[in-house]
Structures are given as structure tokens and as C-alpha cells.
Coordinates of all heavy atoms in Angstrom, one line a residue:
M712 N 27.9 -28.7 -0.3 CA 28.3 -27.4 -0.9 C 27.1 -26.8 -1.6 O 26.9 -25.6 -1.4 CB 29.4 -27.7 -1.9 CG 29.9 -26.5 -2.6 SD 30.9 -25.5 -1.6 CE 31.4 -24.3 -2.8
L713 N 26.4 -27.5 -2.4 CA 25.3 -27.0 -3.1 C 24.1 -26.5 -2.2 O 23.5 -25.5 -2.4 CB 24.8 -28.0 -4.2 CG 23.8 -27.5 -5.2 CD1 24.3 -26.3 -6.0 CD2 23.3 -28.6 -6.1
I714 N 23.9 -27.4 -1.2 CA 22.8 -27.1 -0.2 C 23.2 -25.8 0.5 O 22.3 -24.9 0.8 CB 22.7 -28.2 0.8 CG1 22.1 -29.4 0.0 CG2 21.7 -27.9 1.9 CD1 22.0 -30.7 0.8
E715 N 24.4 -25.6 0.9 CA 24.8 -24.4 1.6 C 24.7 -23.1 0.7 O 24.3 -22.1 1.2 CB 26.3 -24.5 2.1 CG 26.4 -25.6 3.2 CD 27.8 -26.2 3.2 OE1 28.6 -25.9 2.3 OE2 28.1 -27.0 4.1
L716 N 24.9 -23.3 -0.5 CA 24.7 -22.2 -1.5 C 23.3 -21.8 -1.6 O 22.9 -20.6 -1.5 CB 25.3 -22.6 -2.9 CG 25.3 -21.5 -3.9 CD1 26.2 -20.4 -3.5 CD2 25.7 -22.1 -5.3
F717 N 22.4 -22.8 -1.6 CA 20.9 -22.5 -1.6 C 20.5 -21.8 -0.3 O 19.6 -21.0 -0.3 CB 20.1 -23.8 -1.9 CG 20.1 -24.2 -3.4 CD1 20.4 -25.5 -3.7 CD2 19.9 -23.3 -4.4 CE1 20.4 -25.9 -5.0 CE2 19.9 -23.6 -5.7 CZ 20.2 -24.9 -6.0
E718 N 21.0 -22.3 0.8 CA 20.7 -21.7 2.0 C 21.1 -20.2 2.1 O 20.4 -19.3 2.6 CB 21.4 -22.4 3.2 CG 20.7 -23.8 3.5 CD 21.5 -24.6 4.6 OE1 22.5 -24.0 5.1 OE2 21.0 -25.7 4.9
L719 N 22.3 -19.9 1.5 CA 22.8 -18.6 1.4 C 21.9 -17.7 0.6 O 21.5 -16.6 0.9 CB 24.2 -18.5 0.9 CG 24.8 -17.1 0.7 CD1 25.0 -16.4 2.1 CD2 26.2 -17.2 0.0
F720 N 21.5 -18.2 -0.6 CA 20.6 -17.5 -1.5 C 19.2 -17.3 -0.8 O 18.6 -16.2 -0.9 CB 20.3 -18.3 -2.8 CG 21.5 -18.2 -3.7 CD1 21.7 -19.3 -4.6 CD2 22.3 -17.1 -3.8 CE1 22.8 -19.2 -5.5 CE2 23.3 -17.0 -4.7 CZ 23.6 -18.1 -5.6
G721 N 18.8 -18.2 0.0 CA 17.5 -18.1 0.7 C 17.6 -17.0 1.8 O 16.7 -16.2 1.9
Y722 N 18.7 -17.0 2.5 CA 18.9 -16.0 3.5 C 19.0 -14.6 2.9 O 18.3 -13.6 3.4 CB 20.2 -16.3 4.2 CG 20.6 -15.2 5.2 CD1 20.0 -15.0 6.4 CD2 21.6 -14.2 4.9 CE1 20.3 -14.0 7.3 CE2 21.9 -13.2 5.8 CZ 21.3 -13.1 7.0 OH 21.6 -12.1 7.8
V723 N 19.7 -14.4 1.8 CA 19.8 -13.1 1.1 C 18.4 -12.7 0.6 O 18.0 -11.5 0.8 CB 20.8 -13.2 -0.1 CG1 20.7 -11.9 -0.9 CG2 22.2 -13.4 0.5
A724 N 17.7 -13.6 0.0 CA 16.3 -13.2 -0.5 C 15.4 -12.8 0.7 O 14.6 -11.9 0.6 CB 15.7 -14.4 -1.2
E725 N 15.5 -13.5 1.8 CA 14.7 -13.2 3.0 C 15.0 -11.8 3.5 O 14.1 -11.0 3.9 CB 14.9 -14.3 4.0 CG 14.0 -14.1 5.2 CD 14.1 -15.3 6.2 OE1 14.7 -16.3 5.9 OE2 13.7 -15.1 7.4
R726 N 16.3 -11.5 3.6 CA 16.7 -10.2 4.1 C 16.3 -9.1 3.2 O 15.9 -8.0 3.6 CB 18.3 -10.2 4.3 CG 18.8 -11.1 5.3 CD 18.4 -10.8 6.7 NE 18.6 -9.4 7.0 CZ 18.0 -8.6 7.9 NH1 17.0 -9.2 8.5 NH2 18.2 -7.4 8.1
E727 N 16.4 -9.3 1.9 CA 15.9 -8.3 0.9 C 14.4 -8.1 1.0 O 14.0 -6.9 1.0 CB 16.3 -8.7 -0.5 CG 15.9 -7.7 -1.6 CD 16.6 -6.4 -1.4 OE1 17.7 -6.3 -0.8 OE2 16.0 -5.4 -1.9
R728 N 13.7 -9.1 1.2 CA 12.2 -9.0 1.4 C 11.9 -8.2 2.6 O 11.0 -7.3 2.6 CB 11.5 -10.4 1.4 CG 10.1 -10.3 1.5 CD 9.5 -9.7 0.2 NE 8.1 -9.5 0.5 CZ 7.4 -8.4 0.1 NH1 8.1 -7.5 -0.6 NH2 6.2 -8.2 0.3
D729 N 12.6 -8.4 3.7 CA 12.4 -7.7 4.9 C 12.8 -6.2 4.7 O 12.1 -5.3 5.2 CB 13.3 -8.2 6.1 CG 12.8 -9.6 6.6 OD1 11.6 -9.9 6.3 OD2 13.6 -10.3 7.2
N730 N 13.8 -5.9 4.0 CA 14.2 -4.6 3.7 C 13.1 -3.9 2.9 O 12.8 -2.7 3.1 CB 15.5 -4.5 3.0 CG 16.7 -4.8 3.8 OD1 16.6 -4.8 5.1 ND2 17.8 -5.3 3.2
I731 N 12.6 -4.6 1.9 CA 11.5 -4.0 1.1 C 10.3 -3.6 1.9 O 9.7 -2.6 1.8 CB 11.2 -5.0 -0.1 CG1 12.3 -5.0 -1.1 CG2 9.9 -4.5 -0.8 CD1 12.1 -6.1 -2.1
K732 N 9.9 -4.6 2.8 CA 8.8 -4.3 3.6 C 9.0 -3.1 4.5 O 8.1 -2.3 4.7 CB 8.4 -5.5 4.5 CG 7.8 -6.7 3.8 CD 7.4 -7.8 4.7 CE 6.7 -8.9 4.1 NZ 6.4 -10.0 5.0
T733 N 10.2 -3.0 5.1 CA 10.5 -1.9 5.9 C 10.4 -0.5 5.2 O 9.9 0.4 5.7 CB 11.9 -2.0 6.6 OG1 11.9 -3.3 7.3 CG2 12.3 -0.9 7.5
R734 N 11.0 -0.5 4.0 CA 11.0 0.7 3.2 C 9.6 1.1 2.8 O 9.2 2.3 2.8 CB 11.9 0.6 2.0 CG 13.4 0.6 2.3 CD 14.2 0.7 1.0 NE 14.0 -0.3 0.0 CZ 14.6 -1.4 -0.1 NH1 15.6 -1.7 0.8 NH2 14.3 -2.3 -1.0
Q735 N 8.8 0.1 2.5 CA 7.4 0.3 2.1 C 6.6 0.9 3.2 O 5.9 1.9 3.1 CB 6.8 -1.0 1.6 CG 5.3 -0.8 1.1 CD 4.7 -2.1 0.7 OE1 5.2 -3.2 1.1 NE2 3.7 -2.0 -0.1
A736 N 6.8 0.4 4.4 CA 6.1 0.9 5.6 C 6.5 2.3 5.9 O 5.7 3.1 6.3 CB 6.4 -0.1 6.8
E737 N 7.8 2.6 5.8 CA 8.3 3.9 6.0 C 7.7 4.9 5.0 O 7.3 6.0 5.4 CB 9.8 4.0 5.9 CG 10.5 3.3 7.1 CD 12.0 3.2 6.9 OE1 12.5 3.5 5.8 OE2 12.6 2.7 7.8
G738 N 7.6 4.5 3.7 CA 7.0 5.4 2.7 C 5.5 5.6 3.0 O 5.1 6.7 2.8
I739 N 4.8 4.6 3.4 CA 3.4 4.8 3.7 C 3.2 5.7 4.9 O 2.3 6.6 4.8 CB 2.7 3.4 3.9 CG1 2.6 2.6 2.6 CG2 1.3 3.6 4.5 CD1 2.2 1.2 2.7
A740 N 4.0 5.5 5.9 CA 3.9 6.4 7.1 C 4.2 7.8 6.7 O 3.5 8.8 7.2 CB 4.8 5.9 8.2
S741 N 5.2 8.0 5.9 CA 5.6 9.4 5.4 C 4.5 10.0 4.6 O 4.1 11.2 4.8 CB 6.8 9.3 4.6 OG 7.1 10.6 4.0
A742 N 3.8 9.3 3.7 CA 2.7 9.8 2.9 C 1.5 10.1 3.8 O 0.9 11.2 3.6 CB 2.4 8.8 1.9
K743 N 1.2 9.3 4.8 CA 0.1 9.6 5.6 C 0.3 10.8 6.5 O -0.6 11.5 6.8 CB -0.2 8.3 6.5 CG -0.9 7.2 5.7 CD -1.4 6.1 6.6 CE -2.1 5.1 5.8 NZ -2.6 4.0 6.7
S744 N 1.6 11.0 6.9 CA 1.9 12.2 7.7 C 1.7 13.5 6.9 O 1.5 14.5 7.4 CB 3.3 12.1 8.3 OG 4.2 12.3 7.3
R745 N 1.8 13.4 5.6 CA 1.6 14.5 4.7 C 0.1 14.6 4.2 O -0.2 15.3 3.3 CB 2.5 14.4 3.5 CG 4.0 14.6 3.9 CD 4.8 14.6 2.6 NE 4.5 13.6 1.7 CZ 5.3 12.6 1.3 NH1 6.4 12.4 1.9 NH2 4.9 11.7 0.4
D746 N -0.8 13.8 4.8 CA -2.2 13.7 4.5 C -2.5 13.3 3.1 O -3.4 13.8 2.4 CB -2.9 15.1 4.8 CG -3.0 15.4 6.3 OD1 -3.1 14.4 7.0 OD2 -3.0 16.6 6.6
I747 N -1.7 12.4 2.5 CA -2.0 11.8 1.2 C -3.0 10.7 1.4 O -2.8 9.9 2.2 CB -0.7 11.3 0.6 CG1 0.2 12.5 0.3 CG2 -0.9 10.5 -0.7 CD1 1.6 12.2 -0.3
K748 N -4.0 10.8 0.6 CA -5.1 9.8 0.7 C -4.8 8.6 -0.2 O -4.3 8.7 -1.3 CB -6.4 10.4 0.3 CG -6.8 11.6 1.1 CD -7.1 11.2 2.5 CE -7.6 12.5 3.2 NZ -7.5 12.3 4.6
F749 N -5.1 7.4 0.3 CA -4.9 6.2 -0.4 C -6.2 5.6 -0.9 O -7.3 5.9 -0.3 CB -4.2 5.1 0.5 CG -2.8 5.4 0.8 CD1 -2.4 6.2 1.8 CD2 -1.8 4.8 0.0 CE1 -1.1 6.5 2.1 CE2 -0.5 5.1 0.2 CZ -0.1 5.9 1.3
G750 N -6.2 4.9 -1.9 CA -7.5 4.2 -2.4 C -8.2 5.0 -3.5 O -7.7 6.1 -3.9
R751 N -9.3 4.5 -3.9 CA -10.0 5.1 -5.0 C -10.8 6.4 -4.4 O -11.3 6.3 -3.3 CB -11.1 4.1 -5.5 CG -11.8 4.6 -6.6 CD -12.7 3.4 -7.1 NE -13.5 3.9 -8.2 CZ -14.4 3.2 -8.9 NH1 -14.6 1.9 -8.5 NH2 -15.1 3.7 -9.9
P752 N -10.7 7.5 -5.2 CA -11.4 8.7 -4.7 C -12.9 8.5 -4.7 O -13.5 7.8 -5.6 CB -11.0 9.8 -5.7 CG -10.5 9.1 -6.9 CD -10.0 7.7 -6.4
L753 N -13.6 9.1 -3.7 CA -15.0 9.0 -3.6 C -15.7 9.9 -4.6 O -15.3 11.0 -4.8 CB -15.5 9.4 -2.2 CG -17.0 9.3 -1.9 CD1 -17.3 7.8 -1.9 CD2 -17.2 9.8 -0.5
G754 N -16.7 9.3 -5.4 CA -17.4 10.1 -6.4 C -18.3 11.0 -5.7 O -18.5 11.1 -4.5
E755 N -19.0 11.8 -6.5 CA -20.0 12.8 -6.0 C -21.2 12.1 -5.6 O -21.7 11.2 -6.2 CB -20.3 13.8 -7.2 CG -20.8 15.1 -6.7 CD -20.9 16.1 -7.8 OE1 -19.9 16.4 -8.4 OE2 -22.1 16.6 -8.0
I756 N -21.7 12.5 -4.4 CA -23.0 11.9 -3.9 C -24.2 12.5 -4.6 O -24.3 13.7 -4.7 CB -23.1 12.2 -2.4 CG1 -21.9 11.6 -1.7 CG2 -24.4 11.6 -1.8 CD1 -21.8 11.9 -0.2
P757 N -25.0 11.6 -5.1 CA -26.2 12.1 -5.8 C -27.1 12.9 -4.9 O -27.3 12.7 -3.7 CB -27.0 10.8 -6.3 CG -26.0 9.7 -6.1 CD -25.0 10.2 -5.1
K758 N -27.8 14.0 -5.5 CA -28.6 14.9 -4.8 C -29.8 14.1 -4.2 O -30.3 14.4 -3.1 CB -29.0 16.0 -5.6 CG -27.9 16.9 -6.0 CD -28.3 18.3 -6.5 CE -27.2 19.1 -7.0 NZ -26.2 19.4 -6.0
D759 N -30.4 13.2 -5.0 CA -31.5 12.4 -4.5 C -31.2 11.6 -3.2 O -32.0 11.4 -2.3 CB -32.1 11.6 -5.5 CG -31.2 10.5 -6.1 OD1 -30.0 10.7 -6.0 OD2 -31.7 9.5 -6.7
F760 N -29.9 11.2 -3.1 CA -29.5 10.5 -1.9 C -29.5 11.4 -0.7 O -30.0 11.0 0.4 CB -28.1 9.8 -2.1 CG -27.7 9.2 -0.8 CD1 -28.1 7.9 -0.4 CD2 -26.9 9.8 0.1 CE1 -27.8 7.3 0.8 CE2 -26.5 9.3 1.3 CZ -26.9 8.0 1.6
I761 N -29.0 12.6 -0.9 CA -29.0 13.5 0.2 C -30.4 13.8 0.7 O -30.7 13.8 1.9 CB -28.3 14.8 -0.2 CG1 -26.8 14.5 -0.5 CG2 -28.4 15.9 0.9 CD1 -26.0 15.6 -1.1
R762 N -31.3 14.0 -0.2 CA -32.7 14.3 0.2 C -33.3 13.1 0.9 O -33.9 13.2 2.0 CB -33.5 14.6 -1.1 CG -35.0 14.9 -0.8 CD -35.7 15.2 -2.1 NE -35.5 14.3 -3.2 CZ -36.1 13.1 -3.4 NH1 -37.0 12.7 -2.6 NH2 -35.8 12.4 -4.5
C763 N -33.1 11.9 0.4 CA -33.6 10.7 1.0 C -33.0 10.4 2.4 O -33.6 9.9 3.3 CB -33.4 9.5 0.1 SG -34.4 9.5 -1.4
Y764 N -31.7 10.7 2.5 CA -31.0 10.5 3.7 C -31.5 11.4 4.8 O -31.6 11.0 6.0 CB -29.5 10.7 3.5 CG -28.6 10.4 4.8 CD1 -28.5 9.1 5.2 CD2 -28.0 11.4 5.5 CE1 -27.7 8.8 6.3 CE2 -27.3 11.2 6.6 CZ -27.1 9.9 7.0 OH -26.4 9.6 8.2
E765 N -31.9 12.6 4.5 CA -32.5 13.5 5.4 C -33.8 12.9 5.9 O -34.1 13.0 7.1 CB -32.7 14.9 4.8 CG -31.4 15.7 4.6 CD -30.7 15.9 5.8 OE1 -31.3 16.2 6.9 OE2 -29.4 15.9 5.8
L766 N -34.6 12.4 5.0 CA -35.9 11.7 5.4 C -35.6 10.5 6.4 O -36.3 10.3 7.3 CB -36.7 11.3 4.2 CG -37.2 12.4 3.3 CD1 -37.8 11.8 2.0 CD2 -38.2 13.2 4.0
Y767 N -34.5 9.8 6.1 CA -34.2 8.6 6.9 C -33.7 9.1 8.3 O -34.1 8.5 9.3 CB -33.0 7.9 6.2 CG -32.3 6.9 7.1 CD1 -32.9 5.7 7.6 CD2 -31.0 7.2 7.6 CE1 -32.2 4.9 8.4 CE2 -30.4 6.4 8.5 CZ -31.0 5.2 8.9 OH -30.3 4.4 9.8
K768 N -33.0 10.2 8.4 CA -32.5 10.7 9.7 C -33.7 11.2 10.5 O -33.7 11.1 11.7 CB -31.5 11.8 9.5 CG -30.1 11.3 9.1 CD -29.0 12.3 9.3 CE -29.3 13.7 9.2 NZ -28.1 14.6 9.2
Q769 N -34.7 11.7 9.8 CA -35.9 12.1 10.6 C -36.8 11.0 11.0 O -37.8 11.2 11.7 CB -36.7 13.1 9.7 CG -35.9 14.4 9.4 CD -36.6 15.2 8.3 OE1 -37.8 14.9 7.9 NE2 -36.0 16.3 7.9
G770 N -36.5 9.8 10.5 CA -37.3 8.6 10.9 C -38.5 8.4 10.0 O -39.4 7.6 10.4
L771 N -38.6 9.1 8.9 CA -39.8 9.0 8.1 C -39.7 7.8 7.1 O -40.8 7.3 6.7 CB -40.0 10.3 7.3 CG -40.2 11.6 8.1 CD1 -40.2 12.8 7.2 CD2 -41.4 11.4 9.0
I772 N -38.5 7.4 6.7 CA -38.4 6.2 5.9 C -37.2 5.3 6.4 O -36.5 5.8 7.3 CB -38.0 6.6 4.4 CG1 -36.8 7.4 4.3 CG2 -39.2 7.4 3.8 CD1 -36.3 7.8 2.9
K773 N -37.1 4.1 5.9 CA -36.1 3.2 6.3 C -35.0 3.1 5.3 O -35.1 3.6 4.2 CB -36.8 1.8 6.5 CG -37.8 1.8 7.6 CD -38.4 0.4 7.8 CE -39.5 0.5 8.8 NZ -40.0 -0.9 9.1
I774 N -33.9 2.4 5.7 CA -32.8 2.3 4.8 C -33.2 1.6 3.5 O -32.8 1.9 2.4 CB -31.6 1.5 5.5 CG1 -31.0 2.3 6.6 CG2 -30.6 1.1 4.5 CD1 -30.0 1.6 7.4
K775 N -34.0 0.6 3.7 CA -34.5 -0.2 2.5 C -35.2 0.8 1.5 O -35.0 0.6 0.3 CB -35.4 -1.3 3.0 CG -35.6 -2.4 2.0 CD -36.5 -3.5 2.6 CE -35.8 -4.8 2.5 NZ -36.6 -5.9 3.0
D776 N -36.0 1.7 2.0 CA -36.6 2.7 1.2 C -35.6 3.6 0.4 O -35.8 3.9 -0.8 CB -37.6 3.5 2.0 CG -38.7 2.7 2.6 OD1 -39.1 1.7 2.1 OD2 -39.1 3.1 3.8
V777 N -34.6 4.0 1.2 CA -33.6 4.9 0.5 C -32.9 4.1 -0.6 O -32.6 4.6 -1.7 CB -32.6 5.4 1.6 CG1 -31.4 6.1 0.9 CG2 -33.2 6.2 2.6
M778 N -32.6 2.8 -0.3 CA -31.9 2.0 -1.3 C -32.8 1.8 -2.5 O -32.2 2.0 -3.6 CB -31.7 0.6 -0.7 CG -30.6 0.6 0.4 SD -30.5 -1.0 1.4 CE -30.6 -2.2 0.1
S779 N -34.0 1.6 -2.4 CA -34.9 1.4 -3.6 C -35.1 2.8 -4.3 O -35.1 2.8 -5.6 CB -36.2 0.8 -3.2 OG -36.9 1.6 -2.4
M780 N -35.2 3.9 -3.6 CA -35.5 5.2 -4.2 C -34.3 5.6 -5.0 O -34.4 6.3 -6.0 CB -35.9 6.2 -3.2 CG -37.2 5.9 -2.5 SD -37.5 6.9 -1.0 CE -37.6 8.5 -1.7
C781 N -33.1 5.4 -4.5 CA -31.8 5.8 -5.1 C -31.2 4.7 -6.0 O -30.2 5.0 -6.6 CB -30.8 6.3 -4.0 SG -31.5 7.7 -3.1
N782 N -31.7 3.5 -6.0 CA -31.2 2.4 -6.7 C -29.7 2.1 -6.4 O -28.9 2.1 -7.2 CB -31.4 2.7 -8.2 CG -31.2 1.4 -9.0 OD1 -31.4 0.3 -8.5 ND2 -30.8 1.6 -10.3
I783 N -29.5 2.0 -5.1 CA -28.2 1.7 -4.6 C -28.2 0.5 -3.7 O -29.2 0.1 -3.2 CB -27.6 2.9 -3.8 CG1 -28.4 3.3 -2.6 CG2 -27.4 4.1 -4.7 CD1 -27.9 4.3 -1.7
A784 N -27.0 -0.1 -3.4 CA -26.8 -1.2 -2.5 C -26.7 -0.7 -1.1 O -26.4 0.5 -0.8 CB -25.6 -2.0 -2.9
K785 N -26.8 -1.6 -0.2 CA -26.7 -1.3 1.3 C -25.3 -0.7 1.6 O -25.2 0.2 2.3 CB -27.1 -2.5 2.1 CG -27.1 -2.1 3.6 CD -27.4 -3.4 4.4 CE -28.9 -3.3 4.9 NZ -29.2 -4.4 5.8
S786 N -24.3 -1.4 1.0 CA -22.9 -0.9 1.3 C -22.7 0.5 0.7 O -22.0 1.3 1.4 CB -21.9 -1.9 0.7 OG -22.1 -2.0 -0.7
T787 N -23.4 0.8 -0.4 CA -23.3 2.2 -1.0 C -24.0 3.2 -0.1 O -23.5 4.3 0.2 CB -23.8 2.2 -2.4 OG1 -23.2 1.2 -3.2 CG2 -23.6 3.6 -3.0
F788 N -25.1 2.8 0.5 CA -25.8 3.6 1.4 C -24.9 4.0 2.6 O -24.8 5.2 3.0 CB -27.1 3.0 2.0 CG -27.7 3.7 3.1 CD1 -28.6 4.7 2.9 CD2 -27.4 3.4 4.4 CE1 -29.2 5.4 3.9 CE2 -28.0 4.1 5.5 CZ -28.9 5.1 5.2
Y789 N -24.3 3.0 3.2 CA -23.4 3.3 4.4 C -22.2 4.1 4.0 O -21.7 5.0 4.7 CB -23.0 2.0 5.0 CG -24.1 1.4 5.8 CD1 -24.6 0.1 5.5 CD2 -24.7 2.0 6.9 CE1 -25.7 -0.4 6.2 CE2 -25.7 1.4 7.6 CZ -26.2 0.2 7.2 OH -27.3 -0.3 7.9
K790 N -21.6 3.9 2.8 CA -20.5 4.7 2.3 C -20.9 6.1 2.1 O -20.2 7.0 2.6 CB -20.0 4.1 1.0 CG -18.8 4.8 0.4 CD -18.3 4.2 -0.9 CE -19.3 4.3 -2.0 NZ -18.8 3.8 -3.3
Y791 N -22.0 6.4 1.5 CA -22.5 7.8 1.3 C -22.8 8.4 2.7 O -22.5 9.6 2.9 CB -23.7 7.8 0.4 CG -23.4 7.6 -1.0 CD1 -24.5 7.3 -1.9 CD2 -22.1 7.6 -1.6 CE1 -24.2 7.1 -3.3 CE2 -21.9 7.5 -2.9 CZ -23.0 7.2 -3.8 OH -22.8 7.0 -5.1
A792 N -23.5 7.7 3.5 CA -23.8 8.2 4.9 C -22.6 8.6 5.7 O -22.6 9.6 6.3 CB -24.7 7.2 5.6
K793 N -21.6 7.7 5.6 CA -20.3 8.0 6.3 C -19.7 9.3 5.8 O -19.2 10.1 6.6 CB -19.4 6.8 6.2 CG -18.1 7.0 6.9 CD -17.2 5.8 6.7 CE -15.9 6.0 7.4 NZ -15.0 4.8 7.2
S794 N -19.7 9.5 4.5 CA -19.1 10.7 3.9 C -19.9 12.0 4.2 O -19.3 13.0 4.3 CB -18.8 10.5 2.4 OG -20.1 10.5 1.8
I795 N -21.2 11.8 4.4 CA -22.0 13.0 4.8 C -21.8 13.4 6.2 O -21.7 14.6 6.5 CB -23.5 12.7 4.5 CG1 -23.8 12.6 3.0 CG2 -24.4 13.8 5.2 CD1 -25.2 12.2 2.7
K796 N -21.6 12.4 7.1 CA -21.4 12.7 8.5 C -20.1 13.4 8.8 O -20.0 14.1 9.7 CB -21.5 11.4 9.3 CG -22.8 10.8 9.4 CD -22.8 9.5 10.2 CE -24.1 8.8 10.2 NZ -24.1 7.5 11.0
G797 N -19.1 13.1 7.9 CA -17.9 13.8 8.1 C -16.8 12.9 8.2 O -15.7 12.8 8.3

């Protein structure tokens, strides 16, 4: 009797979790269809990065040079470069 009760509680909890996941997915899809952005907003790109990135695109300097001139990490370089490209 007790085991069957626990099985029933387990089933109810599992169904509720599935319902929560479904509602969450629907909410996310609805928000994305309204062009709501998720995640942390991108900060302003420093002007010195834009200048250095132009030099990089022209082939005059390397990524490592841009990183040291702007005091940024490689991942930050790619993040800024992606946002400049569009």
C-alpha cells in the first residue's frame, strides 16, 4: 500500500515537471517570436578596439596584437568582432 502511494506521488511529480517544461518552452518561443533578447546585454565596444580591428582586417596586425593593444582576452576579441560584423 505504501509503495503504491509513493509510486503515485512519483507519477504526479513527473507529470508536473513535464508540464512545467512544456509551459517554459512555450513561453520562450513566444518571447523569441516577439524579438525579446535573452542573456546579458552587450556593453559598448571601446573605440580603440574598432580602430585596431580595422587594422586587423586590413592585415596590418594580428589578433594577438589587437588583444595586447586593447588589453582584452581572445574570447572578448571574437565577441566584439561578431557584434561589429552584424
Side-chain angles (χ1 to χ4, degrees):
M712 174 80 173
L713 190 59
I714 293 174
E715 293 153 352
L716 186 62
F717 282 131
E718 288 177 0
L719 177 64
F720 285 149
Y722 173 76
V723 170
E725 186 177 343
R726 294 297 307 152
E727 182 60 26
R728 184 65 191 137
D729 290 341
N730 289 338
I731 290 170
K732 284 183 178 182
T733 302
R734 287 192 303 267
Q735 182 182 20
E737 289 170 355
I739 290 171
S741 173
K743 285 187 177 183
S744 71
R745 294 186 313 248
D746 289 332
I747 293 177
K748 302 293 182 198
F749 289 86
R751 186 175 177 179
L753 185 64
E755 201 171 304
I756 299 174
K758 293 194 184 305
D759 59 337
F760 176 80
I761 295 171
R762 180 178 47 82
C763 293
Y764 184 70
E765 290 299 322
L766 294 173
Y767 163 73
K768 283 196 331 188
Q769 295 171 7
L771 301 174
I772 60 175
K773 297 181 180 185
I774 291 177
K775 200 176 230 181
D776 300 326
V777 176
M778 290 168 44
S779 64
M780 291 166 69
C781 298
N782 195 25
I783 58 173
K785 187 180 254 186
S786 58
T787 306
F788 170 84
Y789 287 115
K790 179 176 67 172
Y791 286 164
K793 182 180 177 183
S794 66
I795 288 175
K796 288 179 184 177

